[in-house]
Amino acid sequence: MRDVPRIMWIALAFAGALSLCRAGESLAGTTGKLSGLVTDFAGRPLVGATAFVKGSSPAITDATGSFDIIGIPAGTHDCQVQRNGYTTVLVKHIQISSDETTQLFVEMPSPDVIANRVEVVATRPIVDVNLTSSKAIITSEEIEEMPVQELQDIVALQAGVVEGHFRGGRLGEVQFQVDGVSVNNVFDNKIALRLDRSLLQEVQVLSGTFDAEYGQAMSGVVNTVLKTGTDTFWWDAEAFSGGYYFPGAEDRRPTNNDFRPAAVQNYAATITGPTRIPKTYFLLNVRHYEFDNHVSAHRIFNPTDEHDLEIKIFNPTGDGGRVPLGYTREWSGAAKITNKSIRGVQLNYQVIANHVEGQRNTWAYRYNPDGLATQKTVSIAHGLDVTHAFGASTFYRLSLRHNYHDYQDLVYDDVMDPRYLTSGPPVTDDAYETGAIISGVDFGRFKQKTNTYIGKLSMTSQLNRNNLVKAGVEVQYPRVVFGEPGRLEFITDGGQEILSAETLALPEYRPVIGSAFLQDQIEWENVTFRPGLRFDYFDARGTIPSDLSNPANSIDGAPESVDLKTSRKTYLSPRVGVAYPINERAGIHFSYGHFIQFPPIGTVFSNADYSIVRDIQAGVEDRLGVGVLGNPDIEPEKTVQYEFGYKQTLTDHLGMDITLFYKDVRDLLGVEFVTTYNVAEYARLTNIDFGSVVGFTLAFDQRRIGILRSELDYTWQLARGNSSDPRETADREAAGEDPRPRQIPFNWDQRHTLNAVISLARPDDFTVSTIVRVASGTPFTPVIESGFGFGLETNSGRKPASVLVDLRAEKTVTRSARVFLRVFNVFDTRFFNGGVFPSTGSPYYSRFPTADEVALGDPTRFQDARRVELGLKIGGGS
């Protein structure tokens, strides 16, 4: 644990100290609204009735019998309605979702009813006709039933999501938020945390248009609300262990198939409750997870083994043991503390921490696993939230967060470590086995560290019966370091080959990112109208040459080039959504918006030192010899999205939702070729790529009938553009292909996607659920002959369709104990959205077995084998 930075220990110590002092319940990072109508037993509006939701200010019905309570944390709540002369009504289990309005209709009983209180149970509508765009809301109760473990497993099940691509967009175009604040790493615009299911209260996946509050995203938003402390003491713990079981798989998955019952282990515990401090609650969670890949390595060689390759004498000194080729070891946890002792004010501190160590399952190291590089990650997101309510209609929220991410990928921490010299670089010899590394270690070295300080202030106000307005500002100040921390290479000195080790100082980049937004939710005569406007600001705080034709000042007689500061970028993004209920059981919606995203810091600053082109300008090197140069002065990438949907309650237990969407994508990162004054050329990043996506989703939600509940969604989409990767144009140029723009399917253009969730459950008895995923093939480029230059049109072939099934079964043993069984990849599917041989389009065989010998013997190209896990969950409280 020496690799865990000091900030992690400070954050955890602070959270732990407050927890021991027994501090706080938390207001979820984003909240919802309860809009109610109260009538008397004759259906007439009831004026002056009071509605209470625990933890929120009470509201009094107006002349129309209506009331609104805003700022309610996402989750399940009870609402009590009372008025003099009437029996009190308690409505239980009302589902509140963040950034959404829940409708409640309460009829006060006749005076003839003699009771202190009448209790009713709320039912969630099968379809929400007031939603103005596509939004999947997954509650903690639903997550509990599903065979999933982490947040990303849940996201992957949503309509329009293909291997992390939202509705045809590139990777890194999704904004991940936890309790209302971004947890993306600005280095690559991807989520920096791993979130276990035990922490999740609600997950919202917006795969299309979204409100002006959300930025730095072009394809979607994942808004995660974490569980919070409670006013009663509660604890629970979970443990499971399992392994891979795939008998008879040797023909297509050539690897050791011995059953290892402890290949996967998980231990998690959560404790929550009130504290000795008044109106203060806490939540504490810890988890340890171990994962061994199903592919085994056979330690025949050590990295320091010496061989006589000329006469093919090999000297293995390994112990011959079997070890997992790839693995993961994770410690993670979270703490939340909230104090509500000041009237109208809530203070919340939270910390989420991950420490992950692992190795990739690189098949080449199957006989020399100790030569593999190790990946280590420490991620922390922590900070303070202050919420101040002015009655039931207005509140503001201030969030001060610090996101820390430290990643390294190397064999030894110190580039001067003598083991690099004694081991040397990776060595292979076909006389032993083609493609197998028989000594040496990975010389690759990479480190990346991000410190991001975030301040966000938002205010929400129910201005009148029809207008709920939200406005806010946000500033992010990241500090990003990345690159090769030390270089290793062999050089010749005095006729002898020696290893040169050089320590490299990594530069730090300090961009500034800011935004402001204004969002209104207008509810008028059952029509919901959500206009919004977002302002984004970005300053890379870098430099670029003033004259790209002489960037290194190495051309005699050419105009001098000087370093100029990158310009500040600003952009306005209008967005609007409309929901029109046709009746109580059906409605239509339309949404439109402009969405922009500033490219990842790690992309625009990578290889951005233009002095390296001086040799190209002198005509010494090939124009692509220095690779693609970065461009800190890049403009934001842009997408315009349109969405139209229709939803209907088909029966009392079945709802349908069909949505059509179109995306026009412009100014994506791509490559341009710049000509210098001496007619040399080099490549650099610029806003040149483009694309478009069109498609529709069809979803059915079947509410539980008896013991059966089911969900099904189908997505059809066509995603095309000129390149799937910013550097693809340069790669085509290097391969002698035509680099000019053209319209082709993106690599992730999966035409048909179907997800089904089926659950059989009896409360306090048993639950059986299964997830079925069906996917048509994504594109690949066929080849007709082995060798260079025999490829057909890019992405003109299609991989095979595939099916994947996961299962979870749970049985209640006692009131406080449950046992469960999980089976992933039930039918041991070998292929699911993986790679194929371009000569056949099959993952199993090639027309050129000699050329593809290494790949044919590589079991890591297949889907993970069937995994069986058995576990126990216990819990209790007061």
Side-chain angles (χ1 to χ4, degrees):
M1 302 293 286
R2 290 179 300 175
D3 300 308
V4 181
R6 183 178 303 172
I7 183 64
M8 180 174 181
W9 295 119
I10 294 174
L12 286 174
F14 179 52
L18 289 178
S19 296
L20 292 175
C21 293
R22 299 180 174 241
E25 171 194 305
S26 166
L27 177 71
T30 51
T31 58
K33 170 185 169 184
L34 180 64
S35 182
L37 175 64
V38 182
T39 64
D40 62 15
F41 58 92
R44 295 169 300 210
L46 196 61
V47 182
T50 304
F52 297 90
V53 173
K54 190 172 183 178
S56 300
S57 299
I60 300 176
T61 58
D62 59 16
T64 66
S66 301
F67 70 89
D68 294 298
I69 302 177
I70 65 174
I72 305 175
T76 302
H77 298 269
D78 299 340
C79 179
Q80 182 170 291
V81 181
Q82 62 187 47
R83 189 182 186 278
N84 290 338
Y86 291 84
T87 301
T88 298
V89 175
L90 178 66
V91 185
K92 305 178 71 175
H93 302 160
I94 304 170
Q95 184 65 46
I96 301 294
S97 295
S98 57
D99 291 331
E100 295 300 333
T101 298
T102 298
Q103 304 286 346
L104 179 66
F105 300 95
V106 179
E107 181 179 305
M108 304 298 282
S110 164
D112 297 334
V113 176
I114 302 175
N116 293 328
R117 188 171 71 180
V118 174
E119 295 186 1
V120 295
V121 177
T123 57
R124 186 177 179 182
I126 297 177
V127 297
D128 189 346
V129 295
N130 296 305
L131 288 180
T132 59
S133 62
S134 296
K135 178 183 288 190
I137 301 175
I138 306 96
T139 65
S140 58
E141 292 79 12
E142 294 169 334
I143 295 171
E144 184 74 17
E145 292 184 357
M146 298 164 62
V148 295
Q149 187 60 47
E150 296 184 351
L151 171 65
Q152 298 291 38
D153 300 331
I154 300 168
V155 174
L157 295 174
Q158 307 313 310
V161 180
V162 178
E163 301 296 318
H165 300 270
F166 277 48
R167 285 191 179 176
R170 289 177 174 177
L171 290 177
E173 293 185 355
V174 179
Q175 173 71 209
F176 285 86
Q177 294 195 345
V178 171
D179 287 351
V181 182
S182 172
V183 289
N184 276 21
N185 183 359
V186 296
F187 169 76
D188 56 8
N189 280 344
K190 297 179 182 178
I191 186 171
L193 290 170
R194 299 177 64 164
L195 296 173
D196 184 65
R197 54 180 277 158
S198 61
L199 285 172
L200 307 179
Q201 175 64 40
E202 177 182 277
V203 176
Q204 294 188 351
V205 181
L206 293 78
S207 55
T209 56
F210 39 88
D211 287 346
E213 179 180 1
Y214 303 109
Q216 197 53 3
M218 295 199 301
S219 292
V221 174
V222 176
N223 187 22
T224 304
V225 178
L226 300 187
K227 293 180 178 179
T228 65
T230 60
D231 57 3
T232 57
F233 180 78
W234 178 263
W235 67 271
D236 63 54
E238 179 183 89
F240 64 77
S241 181
Y244 302 95
Y245 182 67
F246 48 104
E250 296 86 348
D251 57 334
R252 290 184 172 178
R253 191 183 281 121
T255 183
N256 178 24
N257 63 350
D258 294 337
F259 182 64
R260 291 174 285 156
V264 180
Q265 300 177 57
N266 185 85
Y267 309 95
T270 302
I271 184 171
T272 179
T275 73
R276 295 172 184 172
I277 303 174
K279 295 184 179 181
T280 309
Y281 309 86
F282 76 97
L283 179 143
L284 202 57
N285 171 275
V286 64
R287 176 192 184 217
H288 178 62
Y289 178 66
E290 296 187 3
F291 174 89
D292 291 344
N293 192 271
H294 69 279
V295 178
S296 295
H298 192 189
R299 191 187 285 115
I300 296 175
F301 297 95
N302 282 319
T304 55
D305 287 347
E306 296 182 358
H307 314 293
D308 193 333
L309 300 181
E310 290 188 6
I311 59 175
K312 308 305 178 186
I313 294 179
F314 307 101
N315 299 299
T317 64
D319 58 12
R322 288 279 185 179
V323 296
L325 185 58
Y327 68 87
T328 299
R329 301 289 182 265
E330 175 185 348
W331 281 96
S332 60
K336 301 188 75 171
I337 304 106
T338 299
N339 179 277
K340 299 175 68 176
S341 58
I342 304 174
R343 184 175 181 179
V345 177
Q346 180 168 293
L347 303 176
N348 174 74
Y349 174 80
Q350 69 175 14
V351 56
I352 311 167
N354 296 160
H355 181 272
V356 184
E357 181 176 321
Q359 286 184 336
R360 301 186 187 92
N361 55 338
T362 306
W363 182 240
Y365 285 88
R366 57 192 178 273
Y367 301 133
N368 178 29
D370 294 339
L372 274 169
T374 300
Q375 296 78 47
K376 297 178 182 178
T377 304
V378 174
S379 297
I380 303 163
H382 72 114
L384 179 69
D385 300 316
V386 180
T387 304
H388 186 189
F390 303 94
S393 62
T394 303
F395 72 92
Y396 72 83
R397 187 168 188 264
L398 173 66
S399 297
L400 301 174
R401 299 286 180 86
H402 174 213
N403 294 341
Y404 177 88
H405 184 76
D406 189 353
Y407 171 81
Q408 65 178 33
D409 183 357
L410 38 77
V411 180
Y412 306 121
D413 291 341
D414 189 352
V415 71
M416 300 297 181
D417 194 305
R419 288 175 290 182
Y420 275 122
L421 177 60
T422 56
S423 300
V427 173
T428 65
D429 195 289
D430 290 348
Y432 184 83
E433 186 173 308
T434 302
I437 294 173
I438 56 177
S439 67
V441 298
D442 186 349
F443 270 20
R445 295 176 58 80
F446 180 79
K447 285 190 176 184
Q448 195 276 308
K449 182 184 294 185
T450 301
N451 271 293
T452 302
Y453 301 91
I454 303 174
K456 182 176 181 179
L457 175 64
S458 64
M459 176 170 283
T460 304
S461 180
Q462 186 75 46
L463 294 181
N464 50 49
R465 185 73 185 92
N466 303 114
N467 292 82
L468 176 65
V469 177
K470 189 173 186 178
V473 294
E474 180 178 348
V475 177
Q476 293 191 34
Y477 181 47
R479 296 187 297 176
V480 183
V481 175
F482 70 93
E484 187 181 17
R487 183 178 296 124
L488 294 158
E489 60 182 346
F490 279 93
I491 61 175
T492 302
D493 185 10
Q496 291 186 338
E497 193 175 56
I498 63 172
L499 179 63
S500 171
E502 178 185 6
T503 301
L504 302 175
L506 299 179
E508 183 176 84
Y509 306 99
R510 299 190 175 195
V512 176
I513 305 171
S515 63
F517 70 90
L518 178 64
Q519 183 76 44
D520 191 8
Q521 177 173 301
I522 304 171
E523 296 169 334
W524 179 71
E525 294 187 356
N526 295 326
V527 177
T528 301
F529 182 54
R530 294 178 74 118
L533 183 65
R534 182 178 180 86
F535 168 80
D536 283 286
Y537 169 91
F538 179 77
D539 184 1
R541 301 176 75 186
T543 61
I544 58 169
S546 61
D547 191 342
L548 295 176
S549 296
N550 184 29
N553 283 321
S554 58
I555 303 177
D556 293 336
E560 182 182 6
S561 178
V562 297
D563 288 339
L564 297 179
K565 292 184 178 180
T566 54
S567 61
R568 299 179 177 91
K569 311 296 190 303
T570 59
Y571 199 81
L572 284 174
S573 306
R575 302 170 191 180
V576 64
V578 181
Y580 176 73
I582 299 172
N583 53 45
E584 293 180 351
R585 301 171 67 87
I588 59 176
H589 79 264
F590 168 78
S591 57
Y592 159 85
H594 288 239
F595 305 89
I596 67 104
Q597 182 172 348
F598 299 107
I601 299 301
T603 300
V604 299
F605 278 103
S606 180
N607 199 30
D609 181 1
Y610 283 68
S611 66
I612 64 175
V613 304
R614 66 169 53 89
D615 290 335
I616 291 180
Q617 294 173 337
V620 174
E621 294 186 11
D622 179 80
R623 66 179 180 176
L624 293 174
V626 297
V628 177
L629 272 66
N631 181 4
D633 203 33
I634 207 78
E635 294 290 332
E637 301 173 299
K638 306 178 183 69
T639 292
V640 179
Q641 295 196 51
Y642 305 83
E643 182 178 291
F644 178 81
Y646 171 78
K647 61 194 69 176
Q648 180 173 344
T649 300
L650 301 176
T651 71
D652 290 342
H653 297 89
L654 181 63
M656 179 200 71
D657 186 333
I658 182 169
T659 299
L660 291 77
F661 59 87
Y662 174 74
K663 296 170 63 174
D664 182 22
V665 189
R666 299 289 173 178
D667 294 335
L668 289 174
L669 279 188
V671 170
E672 68 173 350
F673 294 98
V674 180
T675 303
T676 65
Y677 289 117
N678 63 350
V679 201
E681 284 188 337
Y682 64 93
R684 79 161 193 158
L685 291 175
T686 192
N687 300 94
I688 197 171
D689 283 357
F690 57 89
S692 64
V693 185
V694 61
F696 72 89
T697 62
L698 176 63
F700 293 92
D701 185 2
Q702 180 249 311
R703 178 177 292 168
R704 194 172 301 282
I705 303 176
I707 64 172
L708 174 66
R709 183 184 72 84
S710 63
E711 299 174 12
L712 183 144
D713 66 71
Y714 165 77
T715 303
W716 180 93
Q717 70 177 23
L718 175 64
R720 296 171 61 87
N722 71 305
S723 66
S724 301
D725 181 85
R727 293 176 172 81
E728 184 177 315
T729 300
D731 293 340
R732 297 205 317 269
E733 173 74 11
E737 301 174 0
D738 186 354
R740 290 176 296 182
R742 77 276 197 247
Q743 281 269 16
I744 61 169
F746 288 135
N747 292 345
W748 52 87
D749 177 39
Q750 187 167 280
R751 192 74 74 246
H752 307 281
T753 308
L754 185 143
N755 299 310
V757 180
I758 303 170
S759 171
L760 303 173
R762 182 176 292 128
D764 301 321
D765 188 3
F766 72 89
T767 300
V768 178
S769 64
T770 185
I771 294 174
V772 181
R773 285 175 281 178
V774 182
S776 63
T778 51
F780 75 98
T781 302
V783 299
I784 54 177
E785 295 291 343
S786 178
F788 176 79
F790 288 100
L792 299 180
E793 183 179 353
T794 303
N795 283 348
S796 58
R798 286 282 166 174
K799 300 175 185 178
S802 50
V803 180
L804 199 63
V805 179
D806 299 330
L807 176 72
R808 185 180 191 275
E810 181 180 287
K811 173 66 177 174
T812 300
V813 180
T814 67
R815 292 183 59 185
S816 59
R818 290 171 287 170
V819 294
F820 61 88
L821 172 74
R822 302 197 304 187
V823 185
F824 296 93
N825 193 2
V826 172
F827 299 106
D828 198 25
T829 298
R830 311 298 201 268
F831 174 82
F832 188 82
N833 272 344
V836 298
F837 292 100
S839 61
T840 62
S842 168
Y844 306 120
Y845 65 94
S846 166
R847 289 178 54 227
F848 314 111
T850 301
D852 294 327
E853 178 183 359
V854 175
L856 284 167
D858 184 356
T860 64
R861 73 182 192 274
F862 294 117
Q863 178 70 22
D864 281 357
R866 179 192 299 114
R867 190 170 82 242
V868 181
E869 299 171 352
L870 183 64
L872 173 67
K873 187 167 186 176
I874 56 177
S878 57

